[in-house]
Amino acid sequence: MSGLYWSVTFLDLVNSLEKLNKDDIVAYLKRNQHSSGGFSPCDGHDPHLLYSLSAIQIAVIFDVLNEIECDKLIDYIVALQNEDGSFAGDCWGEIDTRFSFCAVAALSLLKALDRIDQEKAVSFVISCMNYDGGFGCLPGTESHAGQIYCCVGFLSILNRLHMINVDLLGWWLSERQLPSGGLNGRPEKLQDVCYSWWVIASLKMIGKLEWIDMEKLRDYIISCQDEETGGFSDRPGNMPDPFHTLFAFTGLSLIKSYPEKIKEVNPVFCMPQYVIDRIGVKPQLL
């Protein structure tokens, strides 16, 4: 399901959505929605919040929310909130700030944010903020750019970005840029083109995008394109895939490279901005 979302979003951003068969995609969505309301990643698997968000994003991009059972889906997501405000990913109970983001992003797209305890949800995410300004997956865990994107996006959707120390967080995020121009997800790690999304989207949300060298980042992203297939990999010379291809292009969109070829992307939902405008969702940006 997430692979389909990456591909759908990429193709829409480059004005090629018509290359996909809409009817086949709707059938796939319907086939993978369970009686609980949640979506599974593919046939024969259990439902999970991650894939439920991907399914909603696909349905919103194609404007086919009417084709899925939204009321059941909302009930499924709401039931995953715990007493402390956190969200489980599925019935097995794993807790992670990723799931807090997935829940509020999904409910925002479905216009059902009023169904959860927002104050408790915010309290849990803020408890995962670290001394360096970043966020981890649970209270006391290491800051990571992917988790930071999820937590900043979560707070953006709920209009709580004032709770972040934006200068401290902006410093931590800008320190992710390496001499190559690429970005890593935490200190002492290699650059990876996918952080052109997680880091840059976070900087965009808190109004600190100018704190990185965008020209060097653009050059690094372009160096990750495979000359044979056209796809993008994590680092130059590696195998390309849809995940890194999408996040390479969304990074290029955020730094406004090739605007004549790549549509504007929303930094919170990782969906084309025109889609977010169409449904009237307005996350907070600083």
Side-chain angles (χ1 to χ4, degrees):
M1 189 68 71
S2 292
L4 183 58
Y5 154 70
W6 302 328
S7 301
V8 166
T9 303
F10 166 77
L11 288 170
D12 197 355
L13 288 172
V14 296
N15 297 293
S16 298
L17 192 58
E18 74 284 351
K19 294 182 182 295
L20 296 175
N21 187 303
K22 180 178 177 179
D23 292 338
D24 287 348
I25 289 172
V26 169
Y28 184 80
L29 292 176
K30 288 183 172 181
R31 193 166 70 244
N32 284 285
Q33 186 170 25
H34 291 244
S35 58
S36 64
F39 284 83
S40 57
C42 56
D43 297 350
H45 287 255
D46 293 334
H48 194 284
L49 189 49
L50 288 170
Y51 310 114
S52 296
L53 174 59
S54 292
I56 293 166
Q57 290 169 306
I58 294 165
V60 170
I61 289 172
F62 277 108
D63 199 16
V64 293
L65 278 178
N66 60 302
E67 297 282 356
I68 62 176
E69 296 188 68
C70 290
D71 289 341
K72 279 189 174 182
L73 178 53
I74 291 168
D75 289 341
Y76 170 78
I77 296 169
V78 170
L80 292 172
Q81 187 173 28
N82 299 305
E83 183 60 31
D84 66 353
S86 65
F87 283 84
D90 59 15
C91 63
W92 302 108
E94 180 187 4
I95 308 301
D96 192 307
T97 47
R98 289 178 301 155
F99 308 147
S100 294
F101 170 76
C102 289
V104 300
L107 293 174
S108 178
L109 294 171
L110 295 172
K111 307 297 178 65
L113 278 172
D114 60 324
R115 292 285 307 279
I116 60 168
D117 190 324
Q118 294 184 30
E119 295 309 315
K120 283 188 175 181
V122 170
S123 178
F124 173 75
V125 167
I126 292 300
S127 75
C128 299
M129 186 189 299
N130 292 320
Y131 70 92
D132 55 15
F135 292 84
C137 58
L138 294 167
T141 57
E142 181 182 11
S143 294
H144 185 281
Q147 304 295 149
I148 289 170
Y149 162 78
C150 290
C151 293
V152 174
F154 168 95
L155 294 169
S156 168
I157 293 168
L158 296 182
N159 199 34
R160 300 294 205 287
L161 287 179
H162 65 276
M163 303 180 78
I164 297 173
N165 183 333
V166 294
D167 287 341
L168 183 60
L169 179 57
W171 162 80
W172 191 94
L173 289 166
S174 63
E175 285 291 306
R176 305 280 59 79
Q177 189 163 36
L178 301 175
S180 65
L183 302 157
N184 63 18
R186 51 194 168 122
E188 305 302 323
K189 295 295 182 177
L190 294 175
Q191 63 271 21
D192 186 320
V193 84
C194 72
Y195 293 111
S196 305
W197 172 254
W198 312 118
V199 172
I200 299 304
S202 300
L203 286 168
K204 176 68 173 178
M205 284 186 269
I206 65 172
K208 302 296 183 185
L209 189 54
E210 73 278 6
W211 285 17
I212 57 104
D213 187 326
M214 288 183 264
E215 185 175 346
K216 288 186 70 175
L217 175 59
R218 180 202 63 206
D219 291 346
Y220 175 76
I221 294 173
I222 296 303
S223 74
C224 294
Q225 186 170 25
D226 180 67
E227 293 182 358
E228 293 183 11
T229 65
F232 285 71
S233 58
D234 56 349
R235 285 178 284 279
N238 289 347
M239 288 294 293
D241 57 72
F243 174 88
H244 289 96
T245 300
L246 170 63
F247 293 129
F249 270 73
T250 53
L252 290 171
S253 175
L254 286 176
I255 62 175
K256 300 188 182 304
S257 293
Y258 313 106
E260 72 285 357
K261 297 180 179 180
I262 308 172
K263 293 178 184 176
E264 181 182 358
V265 68
N266 182 272
V268 179
F269 291 96
C270 197
M271 297 165 64
Q273 183 61 48
Y274 84 90
V275 174
I276 300 302
D277 292 339
R278 185 187 72 211
I279 63 174
V281 173
K282 295 182 179 179
Q284 181 188 17
L285 300 178
L286 298 180

